């Protein structure tokens, strides 16, 4: 039986035959256009003499300013400390967080007692579902001068006087990295566990017949099997090197630890929403986006060259 000939051009035929699916798709397309693409016109104010009093019309009618906002950003005394804090917290966080999360997933995968494994997973997943207002507030209480952390350190004679974890700038990076790791340890392990589930089980059986122990199988089979997933996560981590968790930093930040807690995202918030310097805040945000895009392309190219694996 000859196939039924489609009438008209294919796009029109598909539109008619898949009309219900298209109707369900359009609300999502409309929302993306309204909230993701339409605000991009606002980037123009980074290049113009825009004032908030001009309203939306001022985005298009205000004059060009010859990159004065970008020059002012680079000349700001807070700019380089802010970049240092952003890169430092992110870089150290990823260097510590990725190996620990992968090792946690590897050992979790080796637990054969189902109930104990479920208990560990549940306990480590739980913090991910708490907001930073709750989770950060809990650690602010634990880490203050009369909190349980200082109490235990004093009781075991490890310190002579309470440590001001959130009042001394030199401790902020450690607090930010540690709390971030604790909050997302279990959730981050899910991706590794999913990748491990996709490793060919016959490899484990063959290795066991050859006498390989569990640790040897982990090193020679599991880690190479999840390497593509690891590289994708590293690419995402590099591209997000300039993106801090705004809520986390904002909750833990105070005027005493500001020298090491001021990052790009909190600076944009303070400049744009508290000081009403929308143009300068947009210029900083645009610079961050451009550098993040360059990092993403560079990391993807490096990954493809080294491991033949990349996002695009």
């Amino acid at each position: 039986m000859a196939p039924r000939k489609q009438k008209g051009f294919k796009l029109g035929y598909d539109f008619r035959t898949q009309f219900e699916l298209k109707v369900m798709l359009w609300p999502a397309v409309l929302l993306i256009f309204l909230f993701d693409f339409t605000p991009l016109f606002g980037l123009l104010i980074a290049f113009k003499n825009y004032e908030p009093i001009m309203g939306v019309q001022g985005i298009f009618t205000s004059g060009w300013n010859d990159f004065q906002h970008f020059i002012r950003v680079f000349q700001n005394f807070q700019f380089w400390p802010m970049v240092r804090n952003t890169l430092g917290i992110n870089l150290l966080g990823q260097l510590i967080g990725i190996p620990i999360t992968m090792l946690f997933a590897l050992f979790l995968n080796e637990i054969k007692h189902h109930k104990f494994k479920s208990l560990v997973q549940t306990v480590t997943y739980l913090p991910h579902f708490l907001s930073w207002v709750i989770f950060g507030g809990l650690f602010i209480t634990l880490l203050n001068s009369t909190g349980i952390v200082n109490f235990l350190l004093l009781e075991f004679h490890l310190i002579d006087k309470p440590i001001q974890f959130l009042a001394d700038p030199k401790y902020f990076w450690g607090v930010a990295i540690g709390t971030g790791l604790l909050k997302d340890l279990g959730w981050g392990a899910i991706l590794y566990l999913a990748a491990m589930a996709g490793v060919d089980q016959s490899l484990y059986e063959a290795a066991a017949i050859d006498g390989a122990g569990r640790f040897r199988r982990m090193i020679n089979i599991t880690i190479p099997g999840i390497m593509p997933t690891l590289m994708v996560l590293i690419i995402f981590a590099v591209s997000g090197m300039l993106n801090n968790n705004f809520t986390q930093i904002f909750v833990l930040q105070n005027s005493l630890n500001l020298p090491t807690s001021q990052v790009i995202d909190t600076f944009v918030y303070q400049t744009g929403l508290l000081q009403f310097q929308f143009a300068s805040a947009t210029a900083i945000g645009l610079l961050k986006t451009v550098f993040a895009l360059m990092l993403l392309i560079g990391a993807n190219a490096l990954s493809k060259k080294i491991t033949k694996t990349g996002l695009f």
Side-chain angles (χ1 to χ4, degrees):
M1 180 178 178
R4 184 180 178 182
K5 187 177 180 180
Q6 297 178 3
K7 295 181 179 179
F9 60 93
K10 192 171 186 305
L11 181 62
Y13 177 79
D14 287 344
F15 184 82
R16 290 192 299 275
T17 56
Q18 300 175 359
F19 179 75
E20 294 83 0
L21 296 175
K22 301 292 193 308
V23 170
M24 289 189 287
L25 177 65
W26 274 110
V29 173
L30 182 62
L31 288 176
I32 291 173
F33 178 77
L34 284 177
F35 294 105
D36 289 344
F37 286 93
T38 305
L40 292 179
F41 289 107
L43 292 176
L44 284 173
I45 67 177
F47 305 93
K48 292 195 167 190
N49 293 315
Y50 175 79
E51 297 294 338
I53 196 172
M54 295 176 179
V56 177
Q57 188 179 4
I59 296 175
F60 304 98
T61 58
S62 56
W64 302 97
N65 67 357
D66 298 329
F67 300 98
Q68 288 302 312
H69 293 306
F70 293 92
I71 295 172
R72 198 174 299 123
V73 167
F74 283 111
Q75 292 176 341
N76 191 308
F77 74 96
Q78 295 188 67
F79 179 75
W80 293 113
M82 177 180 65
V83 173
R84 180 202 61 198
N85 295 335
T86 302
L87 291 175
I89 293 173
N90 276 321
L91 184 61
L92 290 176
Q94 298 300 339
L95 287 176
I96 296 171
I98 289 178
I100 289 179
T101 305
M102 189 180 72
L103 287 173
F104 174 72
L106 285 170
F107 287 110
L108 194 62
N109 190 52
E110 294 297 322
I111 296 177
K112 301 305 179 186
H113 194 284
H114 182 69
K115 289 185 177 179
F116 179 68
K117 184 177 180 179
S118 299
L119 176 64
V120 173
Q121 285 181 299
T122 303
V123 171
T124 53
Y125 290 171
L126 187 60
H128 176 78
F129 298 100
L130 299 176
S131 73
W132 267 109
V133 176
I134 298 173
F135 194 74
L138 175 65
F139 270 89
I140 290 173
T141 304
L142 294 175
L143 295 174
N144 66 29
S145 58
T146 58
I148 190 170
V149 175
N150 274 309
F151 173 78
L152 292 175
L153 292 174
L154 289 169
E155 285 295 312
F156 286 107
H157 303 290
L158 297 175
I159 57 176
D160 298 326
K161 59 181 180 180
I163 298 175
Q164 304 291 335
F165 287 103
L166 290 172
D168 192 335
K170 68 181 179 182
Y171 294 113
F172 185 83
W173 286 18
V175 172
I177 294 169
T179 53
L181 180 61
L182 284 174
K183 192 172 189 299
D184 290 326
L185 179 65
W187 187 257
I190 291 177
L191 289 175
Y192 294 107
L193 290 172
M196 290 173 198
V199 178
D200 189 355
Q201 296 300 310
S202 63
L203 296 175
Y204 292 105
E205 296 170 1
I209 293 173
D210 290 340
R214 295 174 68 177
F215 183 74
R216 179 62 61 185
R217 280 177 277 171
M218 184 192 301
I219 297 297
N220 292 340
I221 298 175
T222 307
I223 292 180
I226 64 173
M227 192 56 67
T229 301
L230 177 63
M231 292 309 301
V232 170
L233 292 176
I234 290 176
I235 292 172
F236 279 129
V238 172
S239 63
M241 199 59 67
L242 296 175
N243 288 322
N244 289 101
N245 188 333
F246 170 78
T247 314
Q248 176 197 12
I249 301 296
F250 187 72
V251 168
L252 298 176
Q253 188 179 71
N254 58 54
S255 58
L256 298 174
N257 61 33
L258 201 59
T260 55
S261 66
Q262 185 72 293
V263 295
I264 293 176
D265 291 334
T266 54
F267 185 76
V268 169
Y269 165 75
Q270 292 173 0
T271 304
L273 295 183
L274 299 184
Q275 301 173 11
F276 298 103
Q277 298 178 22
F278 294 159
S280 296
T282 304
I284 301 169
L286 184 58
L287 278 174
K288 189 188 80 167
T289 303
V290 171
F291 284 122
L293 179 62
M294 292 169 63
L295 288 173
L296 173 64
I297 295 173
N300 187 70
L302 187 62
S303 174
K304 290 177 70 175
K305 186 175 181 179
I306 296 175
T307 66
K308 311 300 180 187
T309 302
L311 289 175
F312 49 86

